[in-house]
Amino acid sequence: MAVQFILGRSGTGKTRYCIGGVVEALQEAGEEPLILLVPEQATYQAERAILTDERIAGYSRLHVLSFDRLQFLLLGKSTARPVLSNIGRQMIVQRILRDNKNTLKLLGASAAWPGLARQIALTIAELHQYAKTPGDVERLLSELAKDERNSLAALKFADIGLIFEEYLKFIEGRFLDSDAQLIHACRAVSAANLAHGAKLWVDGFAGFTTAELAVLAELLKVVKEAKIALCLDPSSIDLANPEIDGLDPVSLFSPTERTYAGLFEIVKKSRLELAEPLVLSEPMR
């Protein structure tokens, strides 16, 4: 499973390189799946770019996917449970706040305040996106308990942990939370025919949530080869040893440099073959 990074500043042709690679792969005789992973808002543009190539009349083994679409293909076909909207999540949180207002240590007095349910719902979504569980909140509380100066924060996180746990109990077997589904998708990657032996291209991302990184790491373990395009200045980072602690936090490309360093570490820890990065330096005309 070889992984290669495609690196360059904006306008150097990273997306064109990925689209060209997809087109060439479609022309080759073979049955291996092809996956192009892009942000949700870029899926239509990517599909159009592929189909406007006069050499491609259509395709059946290529999947142009966002992370949401990927998790649906891995999990969604096997379930008929309704997917929660943001409003639905807020309504559930509001009910939990109401039913537990006498149990909550800090937020109970504010349970009926406008906006609190929305803010807690956003917090739950973020916990899912960063692959956190009620157990992680409990471990945080244990750390906070070691210093009395953290007493207020401990009360707040105790309430958040209780609401988070009650929320998961409420939706279990009844609803699907799209943010939580990415965590479950990680376990499904290894068993799915979709990715085994596939060629993977990843393009258009400045960064990934913890859950997205976990899914991508699992994909890299089962695909035949992967090419990951990132927008950064290759001359401003040590491509062979990109340590996050050594990166300039105020650099123009700081987000993607940190993404590169994180992915580089994942590839190394997973003991995957890492090809020499392809550096694109000349602007495309």
Side-chain angles (χ1 to χ4, degrees):
M1 290 72 173
V3 179
Q4 183 181 37
F5 290 98
I6 314 300
L7 307 174
R9 296 173 69 100
S10 178
T12 53
K14 299 178 296 300
T15 295
R16 185 176 298 184
Y17 177 89
C18 291
I19 295 297
V22 171
V23 170
E24 290 179 5
L26 285 171
Q27 291 182 287
E28 296 173 357
E31 297 182 356
E32 74 269 17
L34 308 175
I35 301 173
L36 176 58
L37 187 61
V38 295
E40 181 71 38
Q41 66 273 16
T43 54
Y44 172 74
Q45 183 179 3
E47 290 174 339
R48 182 176 180 181
I50 293 166
L51 290 173
T52 52
D53 191 300
E54 60 184 13
R55 295 170 292 176
I56 304 300
Y59 54 78
S60 60
R61 60 192 179 100
L62 168 65
H63 300 277
V64 180
L65 304 173
S66 64
F67 276 103
D68 283 346
R69 181 64 179 172
L70 173 62
Q71 66 89 6
F72 172 77
L73 291 179
L74 292 172
L75 299 173
K77 290 182 178 181
S78 62
T79 180
R81 287 176 286 169
V83 178
L84 276 175
S85 65
N86 291 333
I87 295 299
R89 187 188 290 124
Q90 290 178 38
M91 292 174 66
I92 294 172
V93 170
Q94 183 63 64
R95 173 174 172 172
I96 294 170
L97 286 170
R98 183 193 65 201
D99 293 347
N100 293 273
K101 64 180 180 179
N102 294 327
T103 306
L104 296 171
K105 300 177 180 179
L106 186 66
L107 301 178
S110 308
W113 284 13
L116 179 60
R118 180 178 61 84
Q119 193 59 49
I120 296 295
L122 290 173
T123 300
I124 289 175
E126 191 170 358
L127 287 168
H128 283 319
Q129 290 165 6
Y130 286 88
K132 301 304 179 183
T133 66
D136 293 314
V137 179
E138 286 295 327
R139 284 187 284 274
L140 174 60
L141 289 173
S142 297
E143 291 297 317
L144 292 174
K146 296 177 181 178
D147 191 336
E148 292 183 357
R149 293 174 295 180
N150 297 325
S151 58
L152 186 61
L155 291 174
K156 179 180 179 180
F157 280 105
D159 286 353
I160 291 174
L162 186 152
I163 296 168
F164 189 25
E165 188 170 2
E166 290 297 317
Y167 173 82
L168 293 177
K169 289 179 182 178
F170 187 92
I171 68 172
E172 180 67 29
R174 302 168 67 182
F175 300 100
L176 291 177
D177 188 313
S178 58
D179 291 315
Q181 285 300 92
L182 276 176
I183 307 300
H184 302 305
C186 289
R187 308 186 189 105
V189 170
S190 61
N193 294 327
L194 172 69
H196 272 276
K199 292 183 178 180
L200 171 69
W201 291 263
V202 182
D203 182 45
F205 295 94
F208 304 91
T209 66
T210 302
E212 290 171 344
L213 272 177
V215 173
L216 183 54
E218 293 302 313
L219 280 174
L220 294 178
K221 293 175 184 177
V222 299
V223 298
K224 179 180 179 181
E225 63 180 61
K227 297 184 183 296
I228 305 174
L230 292 172
C231 181
L232 53 76
D233 184 355
S235 64
S236 66
I237 184 174
D238 183 357
L239 299 180
N241 188 30
E243 296 183 1
I244 292 180
D245 293 339
L247 299 177
D248 182 0
V250 297
S251 166
L252 177 64
F253 297 101
S254 178
T256 43
E257 288 173 352
R258 294 179 67 85
T259 299
Y260 174 67
L263 288 171
F264 189 94
E265 185 66 20
I266 287 174
V267 171
K268 288 295 185 181
K269 285 184 177 180
S270 301
R271 297 183 179 181
L272 302 174
E273 180 184 349
L274 184 61
E276 183 176 351
L278 175 62
V279 176
L280 302 178
S281 56
E282 294 298 326
M284 300 289 290
R285 296 184 179 179

